[in-house]
Amino acid sequence: MGVARYVYLDYAASAPLRPEARDAWLAYHGEPFGMANPNSLHTLGREAARVLDGARRDLARAVGCGFRPGEVVMTSGGTESNNLAVLGMAEGARRRSRNRRNRVVLSAIEHDSVLDVASLLRGRGFEVGLARPGRDGVVSAEEVRRAMGDSCALVSVMAANNETGVVQPTAKIVAAVHEAGALAHVDAVQAFGRIPLDAAGADAVSVAAHKIGGPIGVGALAIRMRCPFEAQSLGGGQEGGHRPGTQDVAGAVAFACAARLVTDDMAEVRPRVATLANHVYERLCAAGTGIEPTTVAHVDDTRLPGMVSVMVPSVDSESLVLKLDERGFEVSAGSACSSGSLDASHVLTAMGIARDEALGSLRVSFDERVTAADLDSFCDALLDIVAEG
């Protein structure tokens, strides 16, 4: 029995593996040193280390922001990169200040891999403050200044939101943070490879492979050598002492391959994907459809190109996702189902959207590999479902 055809529109969760990245991964394992530990002193180990250093160079170039290859720390993905940055940098900044700086500021729309660290920080004696967005989904530099105070050690803010696609003013935020003498971490997991990163002064930037068509389980934290940092795990001293453990060289190679592809093609791909997103917005948010945008029904330079964020106030997200799945379309809700009860998205409620409206949110995400015909078919399906009530 054949498998039904699905139109996958959940690239913001995890994008399909690019054939080039898969081939790079397989090619590395075909090398004589493919099994070698890159920390070993013998010839095969040194060859593996040489290839890993090449992947760092490619990733540093793709991230930009002035990072050097030796400042790229390989991790298991975006969650680990974010956990590592927030905990390690906060501890490092507090130590450097001799305990005078003990406040960490997070934006209220951060990914759970940042927000869920708050309880750990409080348990370690830090104060945690939240910088809140406006109704447009933007966290302003002025709001960050308000939340910092005089004892701020670290501010963590995302480059673009993973639910709404709203691009944040990271350059202005980083400047404000440094004016206050604090460290700045930027979660670029969702933005990397889709838009140029505007975080030249950031002390650290998190990225992940599987969001851009690299393998799952590989990420990186670019962190300045001068940045104070306390390791959160011990043993081996790899990755400059930031993250011990034997590195996944094949994964790093595949990540670097995907990063080269998306950054080299960004100038051409970004407007093309934005045009597709705008067509989806035009169809879904036309007058009388019962579907509303969470911010605006338009993608420009202030939005990620391949993300459509909408709400259907009359239907809950879980029902929408399941009904679309029955018709062969895979999307995400802007809310999560936990223990059988649907909870509204913390991102949308932080923006001031009413809970009953936020409960009907949907996130549709894609890149240049999705066709206009598939998107039109998706629009037809969603419009039918909403019309049926």
Side-chain angles (χ1 to χ4, degrees):
M1 183 175 66
V3 177
R5 178 180 181 271
Y6 287 90
V7 176
Y8 184 74
L9 299 173
D10 199 14
Y11 283 53
S14 190
L17 184 66
R18 294 179 183 272
E20 298 89 344
R22 179 195 60 216
D23 292 346
W25 189 91
L26 290 171
Y28 178 81
H29 281 294
E31 296 287 355
F33 48 83
M35 85 302 290
N37 188 320
N39 307 289
S40 298
L41 294 178
H42 50 61
T43 298
L44 295 183
R46 293 197 303 273
E47 278 299 299
R50 178 188 61 79
V51 173
L52 180 59
D53 287 342
R56 290 189 211 278
R57 285 194 298 274
D58 288 343
L59 288 169
R61 188 179 305 115
V63 171
C65 305
F67 287 103
R68 294 175 287 182
E71 295 174 322
V72 175
V73 175
M74 302 309 304
T75 70
S76 64
T79 291
E80 185 188 1
S81 293
N82 285 339
N83 280 194
L84 194 61
V86 175
L87 290 171
M89 292 169 69
E91 294 279 14
R94 181 167 63 176
R95 172 177 50 80
R96 185 176 68 177
S97 71
R98 299 182 180 180
N99 296 323
R100 289 191 300 272
R101 291 185 176 271
N102 65 348
R103 182 173 176 80
V104 175
V105 173
L106 315 172
S107 93
I109 58 171
E110 294 303 298
H111 188 270
D112 287 343
S113 60
V114 170
L115 287 177
D116 285 356
V117 176
S119 60
L120 287 177
L121 289 168
R122 293 189 183 100
R124 296 183 183 188
F126 287 94
E127 297 177 355
V128 179
L130 293 180
R132 300 194 174 277
R135 178 58 183 83
D136 58 0
V138 175
V139 178
S140 69
E142 291 71 24
E143 170 64 9
V144 170
R145 285 193 184 94
R146 181 204 62 77
M148 279 193 290
D150 296 330
S151 62
C152 188
L154 170 71
V155 173
S156 181
V157 64
M158 52 179 32
N161 187 260
N162 58 299
E163 290 187 24
T164 63
V166 174
V167 176
Q168 303 299 319
T170 48
K172 292 180 179 179
I173 291 173
V174 168
V177 171
H178 286 168
E179 286 172 10
L183 298 177
H185 164 247
V186 174
D187 171 9
V189 169
Q190 203 61 240
F192 178 58
R194 296 183 172 93
I195 60 173
L197 298 182
D198 188 16
D203 298 287
V205 174
S206 299
V207 294
H210 71 114
K211 304 294 187 180
I212 61 171
I216 293 173
V218 185
L221 175 67
I223 182 167
R224 311 285 179 194
M225 288 184 180
R226 59 171 168 73
C227 183
F229 182 87
E230 290 283 345
Q232 299 302 301
S233 54
L234 304 173
Q238 293 93 341
E239 299 301 294
H242 291 87
R243 196 262 190 181
T246 303
Q247 301 92 334
D248 178 2
V249 183
V253 167
F255 186 9
C257 175
R260 289 195 304 271
L261 288 171
V262 296
T263 51
D264 288 349
D265 294 343
M266 188 186 299
E268 186 273 328
V269 167
R270 184 183 182 186
R272 181 152 52 93
V273 176
T275 297
L276 292 173
N278 281 326
H279 177 67
V280 174
Y281 269 127
E282 288 168 6
R283 290 208 56 198
L284 295 184
C285 299
T289 63
I291 301 174
E292 304 170 3
T294 56
T295 53
V296 294
H298 183 70
V299 171
D300 55 19
D301 288 346
T302 66
R303 300 290 187 278
L304 292 179
M307 191 176 293
V308 171
S309 177
V310 296
M311 301 178 294
V312 185
S314 61
V315 188
D316 67 81
S317 301
E318 185 178 38
S319 297
L320 290 170
V321 170
L322 293 176
K323 288 179 180 179
L324 285 165
D325 180 62
E326 289 175 357
R327 300 191 184 203
F329 299 96
E330 311 294 84
V331 300
S332 285
S335 53
C337 185
S338 177
S339 301
S341 63
L342 196 66
D343 194 14
S345 160
H346 72 274
V347 172
L348 301 186
T349 55
M351 290 164 50
I353 295 174
R355 184 176 183 276
D356 58 344
E357 293 182 323
L359 284 172
S361 62
L362 282 181
R363 180 186 69 183
V364 185
S365 53
F366 48 89
D367 66 20
E368 74 281 5
R369 292 173 286 176
V370 171
T371 68
D374 279 342
L375 289 170
D376 266 324
S377 296
F378 161 75
C379 291
D380 291 340
L382 179 56
L383 291 169
D384 284 347
I385 290 168
V386 175
E388 291 169 358

